[in-house]
Short mmCIF file of all heavy atoms in Angstrom, two decimals:
data_model
loop_
_atom_site.label_atom_id
_atom_site.label_comp_id
_atom_site.label_asym_id
_atom_site.label_seq_id
_atom_site.Cartn_x
_atom_site.Cartn_y
_atom_site.Cartn_z
N ASN Q 23 -81.46 -8.41 0.64
CA ASN Q 23 -80.38 -8.72 1.60
C ASN Q 23 -80.57 -10.07 2.29
O ASN Q 23 -79.80 -10.43 3.17
CB ASN Q 23 -80.25 -7.61 2.64
CG ASN Q 23 -81.45 -7.53 3.58
OD1 ASN Q 23 -82.46 -8.21 3.38
ND2 ASN Q 23 -81.33 -6.69 4.57
N GLY Q 24 -81.60 -10.81 1.92
CA GLY Q 24 -81.81 -12.14 2.50
C GLY Q 24 -82.56 -12.13 3.81
O GLY Q 24 -82.74 -13.17 4.43
N ALA Q 25 -82.98 -10.96 4.27
CA ALA Q 25 -83.75 -10.83 5.52
C ALA Q 25 -84.95 -9.94 5.27
O ALA Q 25 -84.92 -9.06 4.41
CB ALA Q 25 -82.87 -10.23 6.62
N ILE Q 26 -86.00 -10.19 6.02
CA ILE Q 26 -87.22 -9.39 5.87
C ILE Q 26 -87.30 -8.43 7.05
O ILE Q 26 -87.42 -8.85 8.20
CB ILE Q 26 -88.47 -10.29 5.81
CG1 ILE Q 26 -88.37 -11.19 4.59
CG2 ILE Q 26 -89.73 -9.44 5.75
CD1 ILE Q 26 -89.47 -12.22 4.50
N SER Q 27 -87.24 -7.15 6.75
CA SER Q 27 -87.32 -6.13 7.79
C SER Q 27 -88.77 -5.86 8.15
O SER Q 27 -89.69 -6.28 7.43
CB SER Q 27 -86.66 -4.84 7.32
OG SER Q 27 -87.44 -4.26 6.27
N LYS Q 28 -88.96 -5.14 9.23
CA LYS Q 28 -90.30 -4.77 9.65
C LYS Q 28 -90.98 -3.93 8.57
O LYS Q 28 -92.15 -4.14 8.25
CB LYS Q 28 -90.25 -4.00 10.97
CG LYS Q 28 -91.60 -3.61 11.50
CD LYS Q 28 -91.51 -2.89 12.82
CE LYS Q 28 -92.91 -2.51 13.30
NZ LYS Q 28 -92.86 -1.76 14.55
N ALA Q 29 -90.25 -3.02 7.97
CA ALA Q 29 -90.80 -2.16 6.91
C ALA Q 29 -91.23 -2.99 5.71
O ALA Q 29 -92.29 -2.75 5.12
CB ALA Q 29 -89.78 -1.10 6.51
N GLU Q 30 -90.41 -3.99 5.31
CA GLU Q 30 -90.75 -4.85 4.18
C GLU Q 30 -91.99 -5.68 4.50
O GLU Q 30 -92.87 -5.86 3.65
CB GLU Q 30 -89.57 -5.77 3.84
CG GLU Q 30 -88.41 -5.04 3.19
CD GLU Q 30 -87.18 -5.90 3.05
OE1 GLU Q 30 -86.94 -6.77 3.92
OE2 GLU Q 30 -86.44 -5.70 2.06
N ARG Q 31 -92.07 -6.19 5.72
CA ARG Q 31 -93.22 -6.98 6.13
C ARG Q 31 -94.49 -6.14 6.11
O ARG Q 31 -95.53 -6.57 5.61
CB ARG Q 31 -92.97 -7.56 7.53
CG ARG Q 31 -93.97 -8.60 7.95
CD ARG Q 31 -93.62 -9.32 9.26
NE ARG Q 31 -93.16 -8.43 10.32
CZ ARG Q 31 -91.90 -8.34 10.77
NH1 ARG Q 31 -90.96 -9.08 10.24
NH2 ARG Q 31 -91.58 -7.52 11.75
N GLU Q 32 -94.41 -4.91 6.63
CA GLU Q 32 -95.57 -4.02 6.64
C GLU Q 32 -95.98 -3.63 5.23
O GLU Q 32 -97.17 -3.57 4.91
CB GLU Q 32 -95.27 -2.78 7.49
CG GLU Q 32 -95.22 -3.09 8.97
CD GLU Q 32 -94.72 -1.91 9.81
OE1 GLU Q 32 -94.28 -0.88 9.22
OE2 GLU Q 32 -94.76 -2.02 11.05
N ALA Q 33 -94.99 -3.37 4.35
CA ALA Q 33 -95.30 -3.03 2.96
C ALA Q 33 -96.00 -4.20 2.26
O ALA Q 33 -96.95 -4.00 1.51
CB ALA Q 33 -94.02 -2.65 2.22
N ALA Q 34 -95.54 -5.41 2.52
CA ALA Q 34 -96.15 -6.60 1.92
C ALA Q 34 -97.58 -6.76 2.40
O ALA Q 34 -98.49 -7.09 1.63
CB ALA Q 34 -95.33 -7.84 2.23
N GLN Q 35 -97.81 -6.53 3.69
CA GLN Q 35 -99.15 -6.64 4.25
C GLN Q 35 -100.09 -5.60 3.65
O GLN Q 35 -101.22 -5.90 3.29
CB GLN Q 35 -99.11 -6.51 5.76
CG GLN Q 35 -100.46 -6.71 6.41
CD GLN Q 35 -100.39 -6.64 7.93
OE1 GLN Q 35 -99.35 -6.36 8.51
NE2 GLN Q 35 -101.50 -6.92 8.57
N GLU Q 36 -99.60 -4.37 3.51
CA GLU Q 36 -100.43 -3.30 2.91
C GLU Q 36 -100.76 -3.63 1.46
O GLU Q 36 -101.90 -3.44 1.01
CB GLU Q 36 -99.69 -1.97 3.00
CG GLU Q 36 -99.64 -1.40 4.40
CD GLU Q 36 -98.75 -0.17 4.51
OE1 GLU Q 36 -98.36 0.40 3.46
OE2 GLU Q 36 -98.44 0.22 5.65
N ALA Q 37 -99.79 -4.15 0.71
CA ALA Q 37 -100.04 -4.52 -0.68
C ALA Q 37 -101.07 -5.64 -0.76
O ALA Q 37 -101.96 -5.62 -1.62
CB ALA Q 37 -98.73 -4.95 -1.34
N ARG Q 38 -100.97 -6.62 0.14
CA ARG Q 38 -101.93 -7.73 0.17
C ARG Q 38 -103.33 -7.21 0.47
O ARG Q 38 -104.31 -7.61 -0.18
CB ARG Q 38 -101.48 -8.76 1.21
CG ARG Q 38 -102.25 -10.05 1.19
CD ARG Q 38 -101.64 -11.14 2.06
NE ARG Q 38 -101.17 -10.70 3.36
CZ ARG Q 38 -99.89 -10.58 3.72
NH1 ARG Q 38 -98.94 -10.88 2.87
NH2 ARG Q 38 -99.56 -10.18 4.94
N GLN Q 39 -103.45 -6.31 1.43
CA GLN Q 39 -104.76 -5.75 1.78
C GLN Q 39 -105.33 -4.95 0.61
O GLN Q 39 -106.54 -5.00 0.35
CB GLN Q 39 -104.66 -4.89 3.04
CG GLN Q 39 -104.44 -5.71 4.29
CD GLN Q 39 -104.13 -4.86 5.51
OE1 GLN Q 39 -103.74 -3.71 5.40
NE2 GLN Q 39 -104.29 -5.47 6.68
N ALA Q 40 -104.48 -4.22 -0.10
CA ALA Q 40 -104.94 -3.44 -1.26
C ALA Q 40 -105.46 -4.37 -2.36
O ALA Q 40 -106.50 -4.09 -2.97
CB ALA Q 40 -103.81 -2.56 -1.79
N ARG Q 41 -104.74 -5.48 -2.60
CA ARG Q 41 -105.20 -6.45 -3.61
C ARG Q 41 -106.55 -7.05 -3.22
O ARG Q 41 -107.44 -7.21 -4.06
CB ARG Q 41 -104.16 -7.55 -3.82
CG ARG Q 41 -102.93 -7.11 -4.57
CD ARG Q 41 -102.05 -8.29 -4.98
NE ARG Q 41 -101.65 -9.13 -3.86
CZ ARG Q 41 -100.56 -8.95 -3.14
NH1 ARG Q 41 -99.75 -7.95 -3.39
NH2 ARG Q 41 -100.25 -9.79 -2.15
N ARG Q 42 -106.70 -7.37 -1.94
CA ARG Q 42 -107.98 -7.93 -1.48
C ARG Q 42 -109.11 -6.93 -1.65
O ARG Q 42 -110.21 -7.29 -2.08
CB ARG Q 42 -107.88 -8.34 0.00
CG ARG Q 42 -107.10 -9.60 0.22
CD ARG Q 42 -107.01 -9.91 1.69
NE ARG Q 42 -106.22 -11.12 1.90
CZ ARG Q 42 -105.70 -11.47 3.06
NH1 ARG Q 42 -105.87 -10.72 4.13
NH2 ARG Q 42 -105.01 -12.57 3.16
N ALA Q 43 -108.86 -5.68 -1.30
CA ALA Q 43 -109.89 -4.64 -1.44
C ALA Q 43 -110.26 -4.44 -2.90
O ALA Q 43 -111.44 -4.28 -3.24
CB ALA Q 43 -109.40 -3.33 -0.82
N GLU Q 44 -109.26 -4.49 -3.78
CA GLU Q 44 -109.51 -4.34 -5.21
C GLU Q 44 -110.38 -5.48 -5.74
O GLU Q 44 -111.34 -5.26 -6.48
CB GLU Q 44 -108.18 -4.30 -5.95
CG GLU Q 44 -108.31 -4.07 -7.43
CD GLU Q 44 -106.95 -4.06 -8.12
OE1 GLU Q 44 -105.99 -3.54 -7.52
OE2 GLU Q 44 -106.86 -4.59 -9.25
N ARG Q 45 -110.05 -6.71 -5.33
CA ARG Q 45 -110.86 -7.87 -5.77
C ARG Q 45 -112.27 -7.77 -5.23
O ARG Q 45 -113.24 -8.07 -5.93
CB ARG Q 45 -110.20 -9.17 -5.33
CG ARG Q 45 -109.01 -9.56 -6.16
CD ARG Q 45 -108.57 -10.99 -5.88
NE ARG Q 45 -108.29 -11.23 -4.48
CZ ARG Q 45 -107.10 -11.10 -3.90
NH1 ARG Q 45 -106.08 -10.70 -4.61
NH2 ARG Q 45 -106.94 -11.37 -2.62
N ALA Q 46 -112.41 -7.35 -3.98
CA ALA Q 46 -113.75 -7.21 -3.38
C ALA Q 46 -114.54 -6.15 -4.13
O ALA Q 46 -115.74 -6.32 -4.38
CB ALA Q 46 -113.63 -6.85 -1.90
N ALA Q 47 -113.89 -5.05 -4.49
CA ALA Q 47 -114.58 -3.99 -5.22
C ALA Q 47 -115.04 -4.48 -6.59
O ALA Q 47 -116.15 -4.16 -7.03
CB ALA Q 47 -113.66 -2.78 -5.38
N LYS Q 48 -114.20 -5.30 -7.24
CA LYS Q 48 -114.59 -5.86 -8.54
C LYS Q 48 -115.83 -6.73 -8.41
O LYS Q 48 -116.67 -6.78 -9.30
CB LYS Q 48 -113.45 -6.68 -9.14
CG LYS Q 48 -112.37 -5.86 -9.77
CD LYS Q 48 -111.31 -6.77 -10.37
CE LYS Q 48 -110.17 -5.98 -10.93
NZ LYS Q 48 -109.11 -6.85 -11.44
N ARG Q 49 -115.92 -7.45 -7.29
CA ARG Q 49 -117.08 -8.31 -7.05
C ARG Q 49 -118.25 -7.53 -6.49
O ARG Q 49 -119.32 -8.09 -6.30
CB ARG Q 49 -116.70 -9.44 -6.09
CG ARG Q 49 -115.78 -10.47 -6.67
CD ARG Q 49 -115.63 -11.65 -5.74
NE ARG Q 49 -115.03 -11.29 -4.48
CZ ARG Q 49 -113.74 -11.41 -4.17
NH1 ARG Q 49 -112.91 -11.87 -5.07
NH2 ARG Q 49 -113.29 -11.08 -2.99
N GLY Q 50 -118.03 -6.26 -6.19
CA GLY Q 50 -119.10 -5.44 -5.63
C GLY Q 50 -119.40 -5.76 -4.18
O GLY Q 50 -120.51 -5.58 -3.70
N GLU Q 51 -118.39 -6.26 -3.47
CA GLU Q 51 -118.59 -6.63 -2.07
C GLU Q 51 -118.07 -5.54 -1.15
O GLU Q 51 -117.19 -4.78 -1.51
CB GLU Q 51 -117.84 -7.93 -1.75
CG GLU Q 51 -118.38 -9.13 -2.46
CD GLU Q 51 -117.59 -10.39 -2.13
OE1 GLU Q 51 -116.51 -10.27 -1.53
OE2 GLU Q 51 -118.06 -11.46 -2.48
N ASN Q 52 -118.59 -5.53 0.03
CA ASN Q 52 -118.11 -4.66 1.08
C ASN Q 52 -116.85 -5.29 1.64
O ASN Q 52 -116.90 -6.36 2.23
CB ASN Q 52 -119.19 -4.50 2.15
CG ASN Q 52 -118.76 -3.63 3.29
OD1 ASN Q 52 -117.56 -3.46 3.56
ND2 ASN Q 52 -119.72 -3.07 3.97
N ALA Q 53 -115.72 -4.62 1.47
CA ALA Q 53 -114.43 -5.19 1.89
C ALA Q 53 -114.39 -5.45 3.38
O ALA Q 53 -113.82 -6.43 3.84
CB ALA Q 53 -113.29 -4.28 1.47
N THR Q 54 -115.02 -4.58 4.17
CA THR Q 54 -114.99 -4.75 5.62
C THR Q 54 -115.74 -6.01 6.03
O THR Q 54 -115.24 -6.82 6.82
CB THR Q 54 -115.61 -3.52 6.32
OG1 THR Q 54 -114.91 -2.37 5.88
CG2 THR Q 54 -115.53 -3.65 7.82
N ALA Q 55 -116.93 -6.20 5.48
CA ALA Q 55 -117.73 -7.38 5.82
C ALA Q 55 -117.01 -8.65 5.39
O ALA Q 55 -116.96 -9.64 6.12
CB ALA Q 55 -119.10 -7.31 5.16
N ARG Q 56 -116.42 -8.63 4.21
CA ARG Q 56 -115.68 -9.81 3.73
C ARG Q 56 -114.48 -10.09 4.63
O ARG Q 56 -114.20 -11.24 4.95
CB ARG Q 56 -115.23 -9.59 2.28
CG ARG Q 56 -114.53 -10.80 1.72
CD ARG Q 56 -114.43 -10.71 0.22
NE ARG Q 56 -113.63 -11.78 -0.32
CZ ARG Q 56 -114.04 -13.02 -0.53
NH1 ARG Q 56 -115.26 -13.35 -0.22
NH2 ARG Q 56 -113.24 -13.92 -1.04
N GLY Q 57 -113.79 -9.04 5.04
CA GLY Q 57 -112.64 -9.21 5.93
C GLY Q 57 -113.04 -9.82 7.26
O GLY Q 57 -112.35 -10.67 7.81
N GLU Q 58 -114.20 -9.39 7.77
CA GLU Q 58 -114.68 -9.96 9.02
C GLU Q 58 -115.02 -11.44 8.86
O GLU Q 58 -114.70 -12.26 9.72
CB GLU Q 58 -115.91 -9.18 9.52
CG GLU Q 58 -115.56 -7.79 9.99
CD GLU Q 58 -116.79 -6.92 10.24
OE1 GLU Q 58 -117.93 -7.41 10.06
OE2 GLU Q 58 -116.60 -5.76 10.62
#
């Protein structure tokens, strides 16, 4: 619809965090420590 709703923004953020956690797991890193 040409606008980003709060739900779309939150979904995008969750997807981004999931991708980061997946990459960290592949590298064998602690996602929390890397995030910090």
Side-chain angles (χ1 to χ4, degrees):
N23 68 352
I26 299 174
S27 68
K28 182 178 179 182
E30 288 171 327
R31 191 172 44 252
E32 289 172 352
Q35 184 177 5
E36 288 172 13
R38 189 170 43 252
Q39 288 171 342
R41 287 190 304 270
R42 285 178 181 163
E44 183 181 323
R45 284 192 305 269
K48 282 182 184 177
R49 289 189 297 264
E51 293 179 348
N52 178 337
T54 304
R56 183 165 173 80
E58 290 170 1

